[in-house]
Amino acid sequence: MKLLIDDAHIEEIRSLYAYYPVDGVTTNPTILSKCGKDPYIVLQEIRDFIGAEGELHVQAVSRIAEDMVEEAHHITSILGKNTCVKIPSVKEGYKAMQILKKEGYRITATAIYSPAQAFLAAKCGVDYVAPYVNRIDNLGYDGIATVKEIQDMLTANHFETGILAASFKNTRQVMSLVTYGITAATLSPDVFKAMNNNQSVESAVEAFISDFESLRGKGKTMLY
């Protein structure tokens, strides 16, 4: 399963890449707006850091299919053909998805709230469908169950489309989908860091170090 960062602040991205096995970065218009800079400056910084082969997801914001297609052409001309263009799963979006897939672009169908949306997007041949786990919960439904239903639907119909699950509020949601074998999940920096936030582990490591230092002296390690 791939693990991506759902953020556009380059320092956060650099920090997480330095310590954890990260597979890429996802962005959306809201995330980009929080950086307060020209979106292409922000995105180019990310692309330069993760490299040409790194997985980067960037969303088109037009309302009309033909304009979405034009945006996709522009996005990839600047950030590389390997960039996954996020297209919203609405009527005009499905039209754009089909056009872009015929042209060989990588597409992520975003704003997925139901298995029906995911089915239509998969029929368009997209690379990923991106269901919003916690937002589905906030509507009174079960986000985890919805994603699992989408995974079952994709498997039963032999689609090559993968799931890129988004909108997590805690690590329990993440691990529920990891164990189910979805393709990818994208996490905010806070949720990403919480994957390794366990005071019991920290206490155990400190006890090991203290015990060793009592044997060999303060600051000593196995390098002596």
Side-chain angles (χ1 to χ4, degrees), residues 4-81:
L4 293 88
I5 302 168
D6 201 25
D7 196 82
H9 292 89
I10 190 63
E11 293 309 316
E12 282 279 22
I13 293 168
R14 289 180 186 275
S15 177
L16 290 169
Y17 262 83
Y19 294 100
Y20 301 110
V22 183
D23 296 293
V25 176
T26 62
T27 66
N28 61 40
T30 302
I31 285 172
L32 290 172
S33 72
K34 292 176 181 178
C35 292
K37 296 192 292 184
D38 183 295
Y40 278 107
I41 292 176
V42 174
L43 291 165
Q44 191 62 64
E45 284 181 325
I46 297 171
R47 172 55 79 201
D48 290 344
F49 175 69
I50 67 176
E53 298 305 313
E55 191 154 306
L56 177 61
H57 297 248
V58 180
Q59 188 165 331
V61 296
S62 296
R63 291 184 171 88
I64 304 301
E66 288 75 15
D67 294 339
M68 294 177 192
V69 170
E70 188 174 351
E71 273 192 84
H73 293 166
H74 188 64
I75 289 167
T76 55
S77 72
I78 294 174
L79 300 170
K81 193 70 180 286

Side-chain angles (χ1 to χ4, degrees), residues 209-221 224:
I209 293 171
S210 177
D211 288 343
F212 191 84
E213 289 180 338
S214 69
L215 177 67
R216 297 296 300 168
K218 187 71 174 176
K220 294 291 186 179
T221 70
Y224 73 96

Side-chain angles (χ1 to χ4, degrees), residues 51 100 122 143 146 183 199 217:
L100 289 167
T146 298
T183 309
Q199 189 57 48

Side-chain angles (χ1 to χ4, degrees), residues 148-205:
K148 289 181 177 180
E149 185 177 347
I150 291 171
Q151 180 65 64
D152 291 343
M153 177 273 294
L154 294 172
T155 301
N157 287 277
H158 307 288
F159 287 122
E160 295 184 3
T161 299
I163 290 178
L164 172 57
S167 179
F168 293 96
K169 70 175 180 179
N170 58 55
T171 60
R172 185 176 182 84
Q173 291 174 324
V174 179
M175 294 311 300
S176 293
L177 296 179
V178 170
T179 57
Y180 208 71
I182 66 167
T183 309
T186 184
L187 316 181
S188 69
D190 287 346
V191 174
F192 211 118
K193 294 170 187 175
M195 295 281 283
N196 190 49
N197 185 15
N198 190 318
Q199 189 57 48
S200 296
V201 175
E202 297 291 339
S203 297
V205 172

